[in-house]
Amino acid sequence: MTEELVFGLTGLFLGVLAAALFVWMRAKRGQGRLEDAKQAAGRIIEEAKKDAAGIRKEAEIQAKDSVLREKVDFEKEIRETRRELQNQEKRLIGKEELIDKRVDGVDKREGELGKREGALKSREKAIEEQAVECARQVDQARRQLEQVAGLTREEAKKSLIDEMTEEAKHDSAKRIRVIEEEAKEDAVRKAQKIVALAIERLAGDFVAERSVTVFPLPNDELKGKIIGREGRNIRALEAATGIDLIVDDTPETVVISGHNPIRREIARLSLEKLVSDGRIHPGRIEEVVRKSEQELDEAIREAGQKAIFDVGVHGVHPEIVKLLGRLKYRYSYAQNVLLHSIEAAFICGAMAAELGLNEKQARRAALLHDIGKAVDHEVEGSHAIIGAELARRYGESPKIVNAIAAHHEDVKAETILAPLVDAADALSGARPGARREMMETYTRRLEELERIVNEFKGVEKSYAVQAGREIRIMVQHDIVSDDEASRMAREVARKIENEMTYPGQVKVTVIREMRAVDYAK
C-alpha cells in the first residue's frame, strides 16, 4: 500500500510538474508574440510618420500654389478696377467741362432774357397807356354817337336785335306762307276728298254716357224685399256684384252705381231676374249673380263676333274677340267705344282704299285701336300701349301693333297705317254730335282757348266757336302783317297743343282786315 501511495504521489507530482511546464511554455510563447506585436506597431508608426510628413509637404506645396494664383488674380482685378476708375474719371471730367459750358450758356441766356424782360415791360406799359387812350377815345366816340342818335348803347343794341328778330320772323313767315300755299294746292283738295268720302260712308247711332244705371221697379213694395231684413239682401247683392245699390225715396226706382260698367250690367241683369222671380234672399242672390255673369260673358263674346263680322276681318284671337265685346259697355264722352271702333274701322278702310293701301288691314287696325280701354282700369299705362301689348301677345302683325300703339303718339309711327288710324279715330270722335261733355268742362275749355289766344301781341278780339273746335282771332292790321298772321296761326296752334287737352282737333283762324272810315259833310 505504501508503494501505491508513493506511486500515486509520484504520479501527482509529475502531473503538476508537467502542468507547470506547460503553463510556462505558453507564457513564454505569449511574451514572444507581444514583442513581435510591439515591433510591428513600431514599424507602422514609423511608416505613418513618414506618410504624414509627405502629405504635409504636399499640402504646403498646394497651398503655396493656391496663394500664388489668388495673388495673381487679385492683382489682375486691381488693374482692371484701376483702369475702369480711370475711364470713369475721364468721363466725369468731360461731363464737368460740358456742364461748365452749359452753365456759361445759361448765364448768357439769363442776361439776354433780363434784357428782353425789361424791353417787354416797357412795351406793356406803352400798350397799357395806348389801351387807356383807346378806351377813352371809344368812350368819347360812343357818347358823341349817343348824343347824335339820341339812344344809349343798350337801347341801340336792343333796337337792333328787335329789328333783326322782326325781320327774321317776317322772312320766315313769308317762307312758311309760300310753302303752305304750295302744299295746299294738292294736299287740301285730296285730303278733303278722302275725308268727305270716309265720313259719307258711315253714320252711327250713339247713346248718352251714364255713370249710373237706373233700374225700374213694378212697385215700391219690392224695395223692402231688395233691402231684406236688416239689409242682408242688399248687402249680399252688393258683395256678389261689387257695386252699390241706392234705394231712396224716388218712386219705383233703384239706382245701380259703380265704376265698372260690366259689374253694373251684371247687377242690372241679376235684379231683373230677382224681381221677375220674386224670391229674394242671399242664397238665391248668389245663384242669380252667377247665372248673370255667364249670360254676360256670352253676350260679350257675341258682341265681339258681331263687330268682327260687320267690319269684315277674320282670324282674330278669341281673347281679342272678348275684349272687343267688353267695349260695348265702355263709353268715352258719351260715345260707345265699340261703336266708335267700328265707325273708325270703316273710315280708316275708306281712306286706305282712296290711297291705294290694304283696306282690310286698315280696318283691322282701326277696329282694334281701343282694345286697351277694355282693361285700362285694371292695368297701369295708357290704353294705346296696353292695347298694343295685347295685340302683340295674341299674334297680331307688327304693323297692327304699331298702329295701335302710335294712334295717340305714345310711340313713333313706323308705317302709313298708324297716321291713318289716328285720323280715323279723330274723325269718329270729333265730328259734331259724337261726344258730349259736361257744361262746366265745356265752358272752361272755351275760356282757356280765348285766354291762350289773347296773350299774343296784336290780338284785338278772339272767339271760340263750333263748340270749341275752332278759334277765330281778330288782329290789328297795323301791328300784324299778312305774313305774320300765318306765323301767328301756327304759334297759337302749337301753344294750344302744349297747354290743353281736348278730343279731336281745334281749327285756328287768324283774320286781318283794314277798314278806312271817313265822313262826308
Side-chain angles (χ1 to χ4, degrees), residues 224-225 227-233 235:
K225 290 185 177 182
I227 295 173
R229 181 178 300 176
E230 297 178 356
R232 62 176 185 173
N233 290 345
R235 285 198 300 269

Side-chain angles (χ1 to χ4, degrees), residues 289-360:
V289 168
R290 283 195 298 269
K291 291 182 179 179
S292 299
E293 290 175 349
Q294 295 174 358
E295 291 179 4
L296 188 60
D297 288 341
E298 182 63 24
I300 288 173
R301 187 181 62 81
E302 290 178 358
Q305 290 177 343
K306 185 177 183 303
I308 292 171
F309 178 79
D310 291 342
V311 175
V313 298
H314 57 82
V316 180
H317 195 279
E319 291 299 326
I320 293 184
V321 174
K322 292 181 181 179
L323 292 173
L324 280 173
R326 288 169 66 92
L327 294 180
K328 178 181 178 181
Y329 302 96
R330 290 298 304 269
Y331 291 87
S332 178
Y333 295 97
Q335 185 179 25
N336 184 274
V337 179
L338 180 58
L339 296 179
H340 160 68
S341 299
I342 296 173
E343 183 179 80
F346 283 110
I347 293 174
C348 189
M351 290 191 291
E354 290 295 326
L355 295 174
L357 303 176
N358 190 328
E359 181 178 357
K360 289 187 177 181

Side-chain angles (χ1 to χ4, degrees), residues 127-363:
I127 290 172
E128 289 177 357
E129 292 176 354
Q130 292 177 1
V132 171
E133 180 63 21
C134 288
R136 187 184 63 78
Q137 292 180 2
V138 169
D139 187 58
Q140 183 178 0
R142 184 183 297 113
R143 286 197 299 270
Q144 292 176 356
L145 182 62
E146 290 176 355
Q147 290 176 359
V148 172
L151 296 173
T152 64
R153 179 186 178 186
E154 296 299 328
E155 291 174 347
K157 182 178 179 181
K158 184 176 183 302
S159 176
L160 180 60
I161 292 174
D162 292 342
E163 183 178 352
M164 293 178 67
T165 302
E166 290 299 324
E167 184 178 355
K169 288 182 178 179
H170 181 70
D171 293 341
S172 64
K174 289 176 64 178
R175 182 59 180 165
I176 290 171
R177 186 177 179 183
V178 171
I179 294 172
E180 287 180 347
E181 289 177 354
E182 292 175 353
K184 285 179 180 179
E185 290 180 0
D186 294 329
V188 171
R189 177 169 40 82
K190 191 170 184 179
Q192 287 176 347
K193 179 181 178 182
I194 294 173
V195 172
L197 288 173
I199 294 178
E200 183 183 9
R201 292 188 180 186
L202 181 73
D205 296 328
F206 299 89
V207 297
E209 177 187 13
R210 298 186 182 275
S211 60
V212 296
T213 300
V214 177
F215 181 78
L217 296 176
N219 54 70
D220 285 341
E221 296 178 358
L222 289 174
K223 289 184 178 181
K225 290 185 177 182
I226 293 173
I227 295 173
R229 181 178 300 176
E230 297 178 356
R232 62 176 185 173
N233 290 345
I234 194 172
R235 285 198 300 269
L237 186 57
E238 289 178 345
T241 58
I243 52 86
D244 295 327
L245 290 179
I246 302 173
V247 182
D248 53 16
D249 295 335
T250 305
E252 299 179 354
T253 299
V254 173
V255 177
I256 304 172
S257 176
H259 172 72
N260 191 319
I262 304 295
R263 293 187 176 277
R264 288 207 312 269
E265 182 64 15
I266 291 173
R268 189 190 67 80
L269 292 174
S270 301
L271 268 179
E272 187 177 293
K273 289 182 175 61
L274 290 170
V275 169
S276 63
D277 184 49
R279 294 177 296 167
I280 305 177
H281 54 82
R284 177 64 177 164
I285 289 173
E286 294 179 358
E287 179 183 352
V288 169
V289 168
R290 283 195 298 269
K291 291 182 179 179
S292 299
E293 290 175 349
Q294 295 174 358
E295 291 179 4
L296 188 60
D297 288 341
E298 182 63 24
I300 288 173
R301 187 181 62 81
E302 290 178 358
Q305 290 177 343
K306 185 177 183 303
I308 292 171
F309 178 79
D310 291 342
V311 175
V313 298
H314 57 82
V316 180
H317 195 279
E319 291 299 326
I320 293 184
V321 174
K322 292 181 181 179
L323 292 173
L324 280 173
R326 288 169 66 92
L327 294 180
K328 178 181 178 181
Y329 302 96
R330 290 298 304 269
Y331 291 87
S332 178
Y333 295 97
Q335 185 179 25
N336 184 274
V337 179
L338 180 58
L339 296 179
H340 160 68
S341 299
I342 296 173
E343 183 179 80
F346 283 110
I347 293 174
C348 189
M351 290 191 291
E354 290 295 326
L355 295 174
L357 303 176
N358 190 328
E359 181 178 357
K360 289 187 177 181
Q361 190 178 55
R363 287 188 178 187

Side-chain angles (χ1 to χ4, degrees), residues 450-518:
E450 294 180 356
R451 181 194 65 77
I452 290 175
V453 172
N454 291 333
E455 291 178 355
F456 284 81
K457 181 181 178 181
V459 175
E460 184 176 3
K461 295 178 182 179
S462 62
Y463 303 97
V465 298
Q466 295 293 329
R469 303 193 185 280
E470 181 180 357
I471 182 75
R472 296 179 183 174
I473 308 169
M474 309 293 292
V475 296
Q476 300 174 9
H477 68 87
D478 55 340
I479 297 178
V480 181
S481 64
D482 289 340
D483 295 330
E484 290 172 347
S486 176
R487 177 177 56 82
M488 178 182 288
R490 183 180 299 275
E491 292 179 355
V492 169
R494 297 291 85 78
K495 191 168 184 180
I496 291 173
E497 289 178 357
N498 295 331
E499 296 186 9
M500 293 188 63
T501 302
Y502 51 89
Q505 61 184 8
V506 177
K507 179 181 179 182
V508 179
T509 303
V510 178
I511 302 172
R512 176 182 179 271
E513 62 178 1
M514 182 182 68
R515 296 183 182 181
V517 180
D518 199 357

